[in-house]
Amino acid sequence: MASSRVPSNLHYILLSSWCLSSLFASAEDSPITRIAFGSCANQSAPQPIWEAINKFDPQVFIWLGDNIYGDIRKPNRLFGKENHWAVEELSQRKARVIGTWDDHDYGLNDAGKEFDRKVVNQRLMLDFLDEPIDSPRRKQAGVYASYMFGPSNRRVKVIVLDTRYHRDPLRSDGSILGDTQWGWLEDELRGPHSEITIIASSVQVISNLSATTGPLFYMESWGRFPKERKRLFQLIQDTKRNGVIFISGDVHFGEITRYDCAVGYPLYDVTSSGLVQSVEKVFPRPLRFIVRLLFWYTPNTMRVINDNCRYRSCTYGQQNFGAISIDWDANPATVRLEIRDVNGITALSTNVSLSELQPPGSKSMTDPTTKGKSQRHCTLEVELQGITRYRLAVLVYFIIAVLAMALVGLIIGAVLTITACVYKCKLD
């Protein structure tokens, strides 16, 4: 594992410590069987998970955003701590590294198109990825891109979206991608055929936890822009693109979600977050079961629940990375979607037949094992009944009310006790 001191200069971090991708070899001509991905890699903390990623030996690694924490309002996070990296080992294994950004490497928490430093930060991001000087990504507004890997009949297309540069304000139900990126995405989906199309989004596409965690707290996702998400699903359906799988980050826990009623076949979203930041990390170890209990109690209609989950909630709130394994020799070909822990052990997983990921009427949709599997995950979180949808908030407010009443009772009891003692003393 490589280790280096973080300098007190963001430009130097991105241009020097991060410009590793020139060492990475192309995987376009070989069949892709192993893809790893992750997000939320706070450079101020140790990163032991890279050892597990290297053991997985991915041919492609995809950054999903928050690749560093460089928020302009929290510059102290960049300075003076040890930065542990093992990405260099990936380069020695000839992995191809690609990726996008999210808010913390974009420059400001939850920021969108209004952020005034995005042009400069885009250049730094592309320098980090060692993007060629003449790359179209350096001439466009945003870091979106696409890649095709593998030979004919075993092709994997990776579409990397930019969900920051053009995004309208939260709660606006405006645009996430902007008109230019939407046009580009349509061209990509109508473009050359691939057996698998991975769409990388920095924020979740399928899950909309904010619909069930509000009004306690909200998280960014495509679900908070319902018109945009509907447009995305409609575009996939209209282009008859097969084999679409989403990957995402941002939320500091891992999960696998699925939506059956959008494009005529199941859409999966594998969320890996984070490589360093994780929701359980903020709790002392003896109290982490509370996080898992809350995950289990919070309703989620899209989460894949199966026997491959380490915890009953089928979420994983510790350090993790995402893994996609493709078995081209199986009949039909299969894809294994996983969330793996810091030791490389599977925490969540599901197996998907490529014949299941075909538009209706497709000749490839011939696998009899897919019969009856569709439409299990069709109810959106916002469509849940009120008492079910908001049961987490009801529980929290109930607990707060009980604790408040208990505190008031203690205060009243104490006052009455003191009053009684004073009165008795006077009588004596």
Side-chain angles (χ1 to χ4, degrees):
M1 179 175 292
S3 176
S4 62
R5 176 70 61 181
V6 178
S8 57
N9 187 298
L10 176 58
H11 290 67
Y12 185 82
I13 292 174
L14 291 175
L15 295 175
S16 179
S17 299
W18 279 59
C19 286
L20 304 170
S21 54
S22 61
L23 302 174
F24 291 69
S26 172
E28 279 86 345
D29 299 327
S30 303
I32 294 296
T33 59
R34 299 176 311 281
I35 299 171
F37 52 93
S39 63
C40 306
N42 191 333
Q43 73 281 356
S44 299
Q47 301 187 9
I49 200 166
W50 289 108
E51 183 176 348
I53 295 174
N54 288 323
K55 286 181 180 178
F56 178 65
D57 195 19
Q59 295 154 285
V60 178
F61 180 83
I62 306 171
W63 288 105
L64 291 174
D66 294 343
N67 310 321
I68 66 162
Y69 280 63
D71 305 55
I72 59 173
R73 293 180 183 172
K74 297 180 181 179
N76 58 299
R77 289 180 178 269
L78 294 174
F79 305 153
K81 293 186 178 180
E82 204 66 22
N83 190 13
H84 303 280
W85 293 105
V87 179
E88 291 155 337
E89 295 182 26
L90 280 172
S91 68
Q92 295 170 4
R93 296 172 182 270
K94 307 302 181 184
R96 176 71 183 275
V97 175
I98 58 178
T100 187
W101 56 14
D102 199 29
D103 51 348
H104 294 295
D105 41 359
Y106 181 62
L108 184 64
N109 186 49
D110 291 351
K113 68 180 184 182
E114 74 285 351
F115 184 55
D116 60 0
R117 304 189 189 185
K118 59 186 179 182
V119 175
V120 172
N121 287 357
Q122 176 174 337
R123 176 176 57 81
L124 297 175
M125 170 68 175
L126 296 177
D127 286 343
F128 149 54
L129 291 173
D130 198 30
E131 197 74 21
I133 297 299
D134 60 349
S135 168
R137 295 179 88 184
R138 293 188 179 274
K139 301 178 180 68
Q140 68 188 28
V143 299
Y144 53 89
S146 70
Y147 308 84
M148 187 74 82
F149 301 101
S152 178
N153 299 323
R154 294 188 173 186
R155 287 183 176 175
V156 177
K157 182 165 192 167
V158 179
I159 297 175
V160 177
L161 300 178
D162 186 331
T163 64
R164 291 292 162 188
Y165 201 101
H166 302 281
R167 199 211 69 196
D168 286 326
L170 292 170
R171 300 184 179 89
S172 69
D173 198 12
S175 183
I176 292 179
L177 301 184
D179 292 341
T180 301
Q181 189 175 181
W182 270 117
W184 168 85
L185 179 59
E186 180 172 355
D187 291 341
E188 292 296 326
L189 292 177
R190 294 189 186 278
H193 172 79
S194 61
E195 281 61 43
I196 299 172
T197 300
I198 296 172
I199 300 181
S201 168
S202 65
V203 296
Q204 291 185 299
V205 179
I206 302 299
S207 179
N208 181 19
L209 273 179
S210 292
T212 55
T213 59
L216 298 174
F217 60 90
Y218 298 90
M219 292 176 287
E220 294 181 278
S221 71
W222 280 74
R224 296 187 68 184
F225 292 80
K227 293 179 182 176
E228 286 285 272
R229 185 167 69 166
K230 183 178 180 180
R231 180 178 179 179
L232 177 62
F233 294 157
Q234 190 65 51
L235 182 58
I236 295 170
Q237 185 176 37
D238 291 346
T239 58
K240 294 181 170 56
R241 193 76 189 190
N242 62 287
V244 171
I245 298 171
F246 293 105
I247 58 176
S248 57
D250 177 60
V251 290
H252 295 185
F253 66 89
E255 68 172 346
I256 302 173
T257 50
R258 166 178 171 168
Y259 188 32
D260 292 339
C261 296
V263 301
Y265 64 83
L267 288 174
Y268 288 87
D269 187 356
V270 188
T271 300
S272 173
S273 179
L275 296 167
V276 175
Q277 302 295 89
S278 62
V279 67
E280 290 190 19
K281 188 178 178 182
V282 300
F283 286 83
R285 191 174 296 274
L287 298 180
R288 291 179 180 176
F289 76 93
I290 297 176
V291 179
R292 300 164 195 164
L293 181 63
L294 292 176
F295 270 128
W296 169 79
Y297 187 74
T298 303
N300 188 296
T301 57
M302 303 300 177
R303 190 172 297 144
V304 173
I305 307 293
N306 59 28
D307 295 333
N308 302 326
C309 302
R310 184 172 302 180
Y311 302 119
R312 188 175 177 183
S313 66
C314 282
T315 59
Y316 189 68
Q318 300 172 40
Q319 292 178 339
N320 65 83
F321 71 95
I324 297 177
S325 304
I326 307 168
D327 186 351
W328 295 109
D329 296 325
N331 188 20
T334 60
V335 179
R336 182 171 176 82
L337 308 175
E338 296 179 277
I339 297 297
R340 296 193 175 196
D341 67 13
V342 71
N343 297 310
I345 301 172
T346 301
L348 311 168
S349 71
T350 190
N351 294 320
V352 183
S353 169
L354 280 188
S355 63
E356 184 183 353
L357 305 182
Q358 304 297 326
S362 170
K363 293 181 180 179
S364 302
M365 198 173 185
T366 58
D367 182 9
T369 62
T370 63
K371 239 180 198 181
K373 282 189 176 181
S374 62
Q375 301 193 7
R376 291 182 181 177
H377 303 266
C378 280
T379 304
L380 297 173
E381 294 92 340
V382 294
E383 297 171 348
L384 290 171
Q385 295 295 322
I387 190 63
T388 301
R389 178 178 172 182
Y390 296 113
R391 68 186 184 195
L392 178 64
V394 171
L395 174 64
V396 171
Y397 290 144
F398 174 77
I399 292 174
I400 292 174
V402 169
L403 292 175
M405 287 189 292
L407 179 60
V408 170
L410 287 173
I411 293 173
I412 293 174
V415 170
L416 291 176
T417 301
I418 293 172
T419 302
C421 289
V422 170
Y423 181 72
K424 185 178 178 181
C425 290
K426 286 183 177 180
L427 291 178
D428 293 340

